[in-house]
Amino acid sequence: MMMTEDNKLDRLINILRESKPLLDNPEDIEEKVIERILQTDKKEEKSSDIFDYLFSWVYVSWVRKSLIAASVLIVIIFGYQQSMILKRMNDLAARTIFKESLMTTGIMGNIDDKLLLYKLTDRKPDDKQVTISERQMKRLINSINELQLKYNELIKLIEENPDLKKFVDEKMTKNNMKKLKL
Amino acid sequence: MFDQKLIEECRKGNLQNFRKLVGIASQYAFSVAFRMLGDEDLTKDIVQESMVTVWQKLENIGSSESFKSWLYKIVINKCYDHLRKRKRRHEFRADEQTWAIISNHTSSDQFSELELKETAQIISFLTRNLSPKQKAVFVLGDLEEMTAEEISSITGMSTGNIKANLHYARKKMNKMMGKYI
């Protein structure tokens, strides 16, 4: 009797099902798997050693992992901040050197730049000539006037209050004595 | 089938016990992977890789009862990866040898077990036109005799989808039988 395709397929599937593929040498696989695991463990050991040393006091796995992740993050942020600070310092130093070179070559005579350089380096400019604009001069005079007014007000305030006057006098005397000692 | 105590010991990191587990589990992994790939050496590599993955992720397994389906999941995913890489498809020519093996086994009433090479040839012939998903459903359902629910937990497909894939797989295989034999 001729078999239909359905029957043929069913029979073939049945034969395939019964003929289960078997591993001829499972010991060989066992050996290779263990070998590969040990090799991978060795690689991981080196990097995990330092974390184990630092976080060996934490017994809960997820807490330990979170701490490791947090510490790595903090180190990265710290490194980033340090690099940013260094970059800014380098920029500032470069700007100071640039301005100083401009001044020494006589290209820059602006009073603001000279004052900035004086603030940064604590060094007075060598040149005797200072270029100042009319606007800057007005600003300077205004500022001196304001300072004068505030000084007068302060003196008045001290004169009116005997306790304060006494306290200020004492402080001034102390300061003068210190200066004399030096 | 899989000793729960053995799995628990392995989860604690006992490598000696894991060697025992590899001895048992690799037979199951080999059967599925060989039926999926049809190449003995390649299957051995896949089994090795799967067992290393099992060791690395053993502590993530929800319960030791679900170990079998979890193992199959790893093996099937590795087979998928390989089948996707091996995309090239040649027009199949049922050579005389394969034809002889099939007709020899289907015509006689007596059951005779297939050799590995014969199994590979027949599966390769039958599943030539199947997608990796259809092939996985056929291997797990028809050859490994798993239920739709078990296949669903391994492949992540719905039971309806599994039944549909199995239906189309059988239809395609029937067509192959009619075309070449």
Side-chain angles (χ1 to χ4, degrees):
Chain A
M1 198 179 82
M2 283 288 285
M3 267 205 280
T4 62
E5 270 136 29
D6 268 344
N7 288 341
K8 267 188 195 172
L9 182 65
D10 284 342
R11 179 150 176 77
L12 205 53
I13 289 173
N14 202 35
I15 294 165
L16 287 169
R17 192 183 295 146
E18 296 302 321
S19 311
K20 206 169 173 65
L22 288 173
L23 197 55
D24 53 1
N25 193 3
E27 293 81 20
D28 187 39
I29 295 269
E30 283 173 31
E31 205 58 50
K32 281 178 180 167
V33 168
I34 299 297
E35 207 174 286
R36 277 177 71 168
I37 288 169
L38 290 174
Q39 275 177 353
T40 343
D41 281 359
K42 264 183 198 169
K43 278 180 200 166
E44 280 172 3
E45 229 168 69
K46 281 176 192 167
S47 57
S48 64
D49 266 1
I50 188 157
F51 290 119
D52 282 343
Y53 174 74
L54 289 170
F55 300 107
S56 57
W57 50 278
V58 188
Y59 296 105
V60 186
S61 170
W62 70 267
V63 178
R64 184 188 283 215
K65 280 175 187 168
S66 310
L67 283 173
I68 290 169
S71 62
V72 169
L73 196 71
I74 287 168
V75 168
I76 291 168
I77 292 169
F78 179 75
Y80 176 75
Q81 272 188 331
Q82 288 299 307
S83 68
M84 289 304 287
I85 291 167
L86 273 172
K87 200 184 161 201
R88 282 186 182 184
M89 279 169 74
N90 285 337
D91 281 356
L92 204 62
R95 269 167 68 184
T96 315
I97 291 163
F98 176 70
K99 297 228 170 183
E100 196 179 0
S101 68
L102 283 177
M103 278 176 68
T104 47
T105 50
I107 298 168
M108 187 181 73
N110 192 322
I111 192 157
D112 283 342
D113 292 331
K114 283 181 182 176
L115 283 171
L116 176 73
L117 194 73
Y118 176 64
K119 271 188 206 167
L120 291 171
T121 59
D122 204 22
R123 195 147 43 88
K124 283 179 188 171
D126 295 335
D127 52 347
K128 286 161 191 170
Q129 196 186 345
V130 176
T131 317
I132 186 162
S133 68
E134 201 178 325
R135 201 172 151 202
Q136 280 171 331
M137 183 57 89
K138 272 183 187 170
R139 224 168 65 199
L140 191 69
I141 292 164
N142 282 341
S143 142
I144 290 166
N145 286 341
E146 266 179 43
L147 207 64
Q148 188 71 48
L149 277 170
K150 278 179 185 169
Y151 180 75
N152 289 340
E153 275 173 17
L154 194 69
I155 295 289
K156 203 178 159 188
L157 210 76
I158 294 167
E159 294 289 336
E160 280 169 2
N161 191 336
D163 290 337
L164 189 63
K165 193 174 185 279
K166 196 184 167 189
F167 175 77
V168 173
D169 283 341
E170 275 173 13
K171 282 275 171 195
M172 295 276 274
T173 327
K174 258 185 193 177
N175 273 350
N176 286 339
M177 278 176 77
K178 264 184 193 174
K179 277 182 187 172
L180 281 171
K181 267 181 194 174
L182 279 167
Chain B
M1 186 200 295
F2 289 106
D3 187 0
Q4 304 302 316
K5 270 187 186 173
L6 185 66
I7 295 166
E8 284 304 325
E9 282 300 313
C10 296
R11 286 176 76 173
K12 285 174 193 165
N14 190 326
L15 205 56
Q16 204 53 42
N17 282 327
F18 187 69
R19 183 190 279 267
K20 287 181 200 166
L21 186 68
V22 172
I24 305 162
S26 56
Q27 286 290 4
Y28 291 92
F30 183 81
S31 172
V32 176
F34 184 79
R35 282 166 165 171
M36 284 289 288
L37 304 168
D39 182 318
E40 196 179 348
D41 290 335
L42 178 64
T43 304
K44 281 180 179 170
D45 286 346
I46 294 284
V47 171
Q48 269 186 52
E49 275 177 34
S50 303
M51 296 318 295
V52 173
T53 310
V54 166
W55 171 256
Q56 286 166 341
K57 297 186 175 173
L58 199 58
E59 60 179 33
N60 299 341
I61 183 177
S63 68
S64 48
E65 285 90 32
S66 56
F67 178 77
K68 191 187 166 192
S69 58
W70 186 67
L71 168 73
Y72 277 128
K73 200 175 190 172
I74 292 170
V75 177
I76 288 287
N77 282 336
K78 296 225 180 264
C79 291
Y80 272 163
D81 289 345
H82 191 81
L83 288 173
R84 273 190 215 112
K85 281 179 204 162
R86 200 177 59 179
K87 261 185 178 170
R88 57 196 166 89
R89 280 183 175 216
H90 301 296
E91 184 58 33
F92 184 74
R93 190 169 54 81
D95 56 34
E96 284 182 8
Q97 205 189 354
T98 314
W99 194 90
I101 296 164
I102 294 172
S103 56
N104 188 29
H105 282 279
T106 49
S107 58
S108 100
D109 286 337
Q110 273 188 326
F111 170 75
S112 56
E113 202 167 309
L114 295 165
E115 286 175 21
L116 271 183
K117 205 181 165 187
E118 290 175 329
T119 307
Q121 270 178 291
I122 296 173
I123 293 178
S124 169
F125 162 71
L126 282 177
T127 60
R128 175 68 48 170
N129 291 329
L130 303 189
S131 68
K133 268 187 182 177
Q134 287 171 341
K135 196 170 181 174
V137 169
F138 164 66
V139 169
L140 295 172
D142 274 347
L143 304 184
E144 297 288 332
E145 297 176 279
M146 287 183 189
T147 62
E149 285 73 26
E150 282 174 317
I151 301 171
S152 172
S153 70
I154 293 165
T155 58
M157 292 157 75
S158 67
T159 48
N161 201 356
I162 288 162
K163 282 172 189 167
N165 269 295
L166 196 56
H167 171 74
Y168 284 115
R170 281 183 189 150
K171 210 173 171 183
K172 279 183 185 175
M173 287 190 289
N174 251 331
K175 210 175 168 184
M176 282 291 282
M177 293 279 282
K179 195 175 174 184
Y180 291 103
I181 299 173

